[in-house]
DNA sequence: CAGAATCCGAAGAGATACTG
DNA sequence: CAGTATCTCTTCGGATTCTG
């Protein structure tokens, strides 16, 4: 049991827990963090509150719809807070919550891994594709 | 410039780099790691080499097709190695590569974050859904 | 300016059946 | 036992249009 505590979090805990073990939780988090835009948005908000159009310019490539949609999800999960000012024209500012900021720490570990090893991955892909 | 080096990796580097900045790399890694099964497979392989059917039993919920498909991608990216023994019946063993094992370290940071905060996320979701 | 709503194509993912 | 192929369903994500 003490042999591999590291991977234990991801493993099935037995036939009786089929459907909702510890892996559901991490998958839940990853499906939020791992989608196409969430991480970019939270990353951009690390610099401080930003309004809708600024975010859209900042992220470069995101569509209007996806920015709205992803911000909704992030707000729902408590990673981003939304403040709307009842003016004309309307102004809305988004900000990373405390939770959103703590999330960024472990994510940075992954980011630096990606920076370190994505060359290896690309090389491995090419080598793989050359076979056959 | 030195104000927020943390988020800089994820940010757009300017209008001229539209399409392929540093965020492409992390997104590439995340789309591999963040899919439904890759992480579970790599996690299960932390315990040592396993053959196809063992993996399928170990992961519980994965379909035959998805296990094959995900293993292919992991092998292509150099995270998992495949060894086939030309016997009857055939035997194939999968093993995490060195790269696959280094990946698991930063991922564990995310896993523990998920363990720590997924209650907050669930609570935030309920609170959000109660409004309206 | 911010966002909701709709339509549509592409990719993800399961079920099943077939081969060596 | 391991892997491929096909079929189908759902989800993701972009484009567009419309409102306060």
């Amino acid at each position: 049991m003490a042999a591999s505590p590291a991977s234990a979090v991801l493993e099935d805990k037995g036939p009786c827990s089929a459907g909702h073990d510890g892996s559901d939780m991490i998958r839940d988090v990853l499906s939020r963090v791992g989608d196409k835009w969430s991480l970019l948005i939270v990353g951009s908000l690390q610099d401080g509150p930003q309004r809708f159009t600024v975010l859209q310019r900042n992220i470069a490539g995101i569509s209007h719809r996806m920015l709205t949609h992803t911000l909704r999800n992030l707000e729902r999960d408590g990673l981003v807070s939304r403040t709307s000012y009842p003016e004309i024209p309307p102004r809305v500012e988004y900000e990373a919550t405390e939770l959103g900021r703590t999330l960024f720490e472990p994510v940075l570990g992954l980011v630096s891994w990606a920076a370190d090893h994505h060359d290896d991955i690309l090389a491995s892909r090419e080598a793989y594709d050359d076979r056959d």
Side-chain angles (χ1 to χ4, degrees), chain A:
Chain A
M1 287 298 186
S4 60
S7 60
V9 235
L10 288 179
E11 282 172 10
D12 192 14
K13 297 302 184 298
C16 52
S17 63
H20 58 288
D21 44 28
S23 63
D24 272 8
M25 184 188 61
I26 178 66
R27 212 185 292 166
D28 191 27
V29 172
L30 273 176
S31 63
R32 169 69 52 248
V33 161
D35 72 6
K36 203 172 178 180
W37 303 111
S38 296
L39 205 56
L40 285 307
I41 293 177
V42 177
S44 181
L45 288 177
Q46 299 293 310
D47 293 336
Q50 290 168 37
R51 44 193 302 187
F52 192 87
T53 36
V54 173
L55 276 173
Q56 192 168 21
R57 294 206 60 195
N58 232 319
I59 292 185
I62 194 169
S63 68
H64 197 140
R65 182 192 178 283
M66 276 297 108
L67 183 54
T68 307
H69 186 69
T70 310
L71 281 170
R72 279 290 161 283
N73 284 329
L74 291 172
E75 186 194 358
R76 191 171 100 101
D77 285 4
L79 299 172
V80 161
S81 67
R82 193 186 99 112
T83 314
S84 129
Y85 301 90
E87 309 168 351
I88 304 286
R91 182 165 61 98
V92 179
E93 283 198 337
Y94 292 92
E95 185 177 9
T97 62
E98 188 55 37
L99 196 59
R101 281 188 291 271
T102 64
L103 170 61
F104 210 63
E105 299 176 26
V107 164
L108 277 180
L110 214 53
V111 169
S112 66
W113 187 92
D116 287 348
H117 298 291
H118 100 292
D119 279 346
D120 298 332
I121 291 181
L122 292 181
S124 179
R125 277 181 200 169
E126 285 186 27
Y128 186 91
D129 292 344
D130 281 349
R131 299 168 201 142
D132 282 5

